[in-house]
Amino acid sequence: MKIISIQNNLGIPKYKQIIITVEKGIEEGKLIKGDKLPSVNKVSLEFSLSRDTVLLAYDELKKRGIIYAIPGKGYYVKSIAVTIKQRIFLLFDELNIFKEDIYNSFLENIGNDVQVDIFFHHFNIQVFRKLINDSNGNYTKYIIMPTNLAEAASVIKTLPVNEVYILDQTNPELNSFPAVYQNHKKDIYEGLMKAKSRLVKYNKIIMIFPGFREPLGMKIGFENFCENFIFDHETITEFNNRAIEAGEVYVIPNDRDLVRVIEKSKLQNLQLGRDFGIISYNETPLKKVVANGITTISTNFEAMGKILAEMILQGKKEQIENKSTLIIRNSL
């Protein structure tokens, strides 16, 4: 009980005083890794506090990774890294160059007293559910990429409601959570609108949309644009060995399909930007130089990471739509 002390009329909430004294005990070497903390009941009786007050303090220390609980036995020191004020659970769908840009930007802007643990669900709902269930209660903040997983919302809602942020894709079931997201339906529609003066030179617009990882909003925005402006169009799920016809323009969300189309055009001796066109989704440095430049519709992924970090640091609870732009190059 010498570790924990509470003072009345100090102007600091009593649960925070518990946290501060535990941190001080660790810094001074009075508590080391593996030491047991006084029980909730002992602290409650000693200082005439409610159990909820003590549990709130211990729960905060647990979320920061400083202590851990063994059911039926008590709370123990897990880490002496008391400078870590927040532990963030970051769940991505997969690692690619776009997600790496978000991640690096987020780390750069979130500060030095924050620990970020990154996980990947690979579009698998069972993996998604297990990672969230295993992390529940162990972090101060949860950042989730739900993608288009059908049961994602119900799993996310098991987490502490005030500690969840949604990243990249959202949906009506997740409207109660703060988010930094792309509006894929709007982005592709507006991108095609800006490219309309060039698209009218082509006979047909074809979207390659496998539909497994790609947001459905892309397909809806594409089809709405083509129908509203009477463009002959088609949506296909795979390219494979399809022959490219002169006068076609391809809208390609997936970079693997982008490579297949360019390779096929070379076999057919077709010149990109003259015989056929390409609009790719998501900007990368390589697209500036590949095939003399690939036109892209893309959001700013670095901005997405920065905005998310600022939201967490400032305690903002907003839904922010990250801006997208069309970058015209020689492929169109």
Side-chain angles (χ1 to χ4, degrees):
M1 294 305 295
K2 295 178 182 178
I3 295 298
I4 294 174
S5 63
I6 302 291
Q7 298 181 46
N8 294 319
N9 303 318
L10 194 61
I12 300 174
K14 291 179 180 178
Y15 86 92
K16 285 193 175 180
Q17 291 189 48
I18 295 173
I19 294 171
I20 291 168
T21 54
V22 170
E23 289 176 335
K24 185 177 179 181
I26 291 172
E27 289 172 345
E28 294 176 349
K30 295 177 183 177
L31 283 172
I32 62 173
K33 192 173 180 179
D35 279 356
K36 185 177 182 180
L37 294 183
S39 72
V40 173
N41 286 337
K42 283 183 179 179
V43 178
S44 177
L45 290 170
E46 177 73 17
F47 299 105
S48 300
L49 301 174
S50 71
R51 281 177 51 83
D52 287 345
T53 298
V54 183
L55 284 169
L56 183 61
Y58 281 10
D59 189 48
E60 179 69 23
L61 290 165
K62 181 184 171 187
K63 290 175 182 177
R64 288 170 51 193
I66 295 172
I67 68 174
Y68 68 99
I70 299 178
K73 291 189 176 181
Y75 292 86
Y76 298 81
V77 177
K78 181 179 181 180
S79 170
I80 58 172
V82 294
T83 56
I84 301 299
K85 300 304 180 184
Q86 290 205 66
R87 291 182 73 231
I88 296 177
F89 173 83
L90 181 58
L91 181 55
F92 276 15
D93 45 23
E94 63 180 354
L95 183 61
N96 54 37
I97 190 169
F98 322 121
K99 308 300 165 54
E100 189 176 351
D101 285 346
I102 296 174
Y103 178 67
N104 289 335
S105 176
F106 180 74
L107 289 184
E108 185 179 338
N109 289 280
I110 196 63
N112 297 322
D113 58 352
V114 178
Q115 176 182 322
V116 180
D117 295 341
I118 186 169
F119 302 87
F120 302 92
H121 60 72
H122 301 290
F123 304 90
N124 185 312
I125 187 61
Q126 285 77 29
V127 174
F128 183 88
R129 183 182 291 107
K130 185 178 189 309
L131 288 171
I132 286 181
N133 288 344
D134 290 350
S135 72
N136 201 340
N138 296 325
Y139 291 87
T140 57
K141 295 288 183 291
Y142 301 83
I143 300 169
I144 313 291
M145 278 188 181
T147 63
N148 53 6
L149 292 174
E151 301 173 39
S154 61
V155 179
I156 291 170
K157 289 176 181 178
T158 65
L159 293 169
V161 65
N162 292 320
E163 297 168 3
V164 175
Y165 291 78
I166 304 300
L167 182 61
D168 195 35
Q169 293 185 52
T170 189
N171 60 63
E173 289 185 276
L174 298 170
N175 280 346
S176 60
F177 296 104
V180 184
Y181 67 97
Q182 298 184 69
N183 186 334
H184 293 94
K185 177 181 173 182
K186 176 183 173 184
D187 290 347
I188 200 162
Y189 189 97
E190 292 185 350
L192 293 173
M193 275 290 296
K194 291 175 183 176
K196 185 170 173 287
S197 62
R198 294 176 182 246
L199 290 172
V200 294
K201 301 173 186 178
Y202 293 89
N203 301 326
K204 187 175 186 179
I205 311 177
I206 300 167
M207 170 176 265
I208 305 173
F209 189 79
F212 176 57
R213 290 178 169 85
E214 296 76 19
L216 183 60
M218 288 183 180
K219 180 173 180 285
I220 295 171
F222 166 74
E223 292 178 344
N224 286 349
F225 170 81
C226 292
E227 290 166 6
N228 288 348
F229 295 97
I230 319 175
F231 279 94
D232 187 16
H233 66 283
E234 182 182 2
T235 302
I236 59 176
T237 57
E238 55 186 20
F239 181 77
N240 288 339
N241 293 316
R242 177 189 177 105
I244 301 171
E245 300 290 337
E248 291 179 338
V249 57
Y250 286 83
V251 178
I252 311 176
N254 189 300
D255 283 353
R256 291 184 180 87
D257 290 316
L258 175 63
V259 172
R260 293 186 185 107
V261 172
I262 292 174
E263 287 178 337
K264 184 65 173 180
S265 71
K266 290 180 179 179
L267 290 174
Q268 294 184 227
N269 293 317
L270 296 174
Q271 183 176 329
L272 181 58
R274 184 193 68 187
D275 301 319
F276 78 108
I278 286 177
I279 299 176
S280 179
Y281 213 89
N282 293 329
E283 175 70 359
T284 68
L286 277 176
K287 291 175 187 176
K288 299 176 183 178
V289 295
V290 168
N292 294 319
I294 303 295
T295 295
T296 61
I297 297 172
S298 183
T299 195
N300 186 326
F301 294 101
E302 291 183 3
M304 189 176 287
K306 182 179 180 181
I307 292 168
L308 180 64
E310 290 172 349
M311 284 178 66
I312 290 173
L313 292 174
Q314 297 170 18
K316 293 181 179 178
K317 301 291 184 180
E318 305 174 30
Q319 288 202 329
I320 299 176
E321 183 179 306
N322 209 49
K323 294 180 180 179
S324 177
T325 188
L326 172 76
I327 303 171
I328 293 283
R329 297 197 179 101
N330 290 330
S331 71
L332 193 66

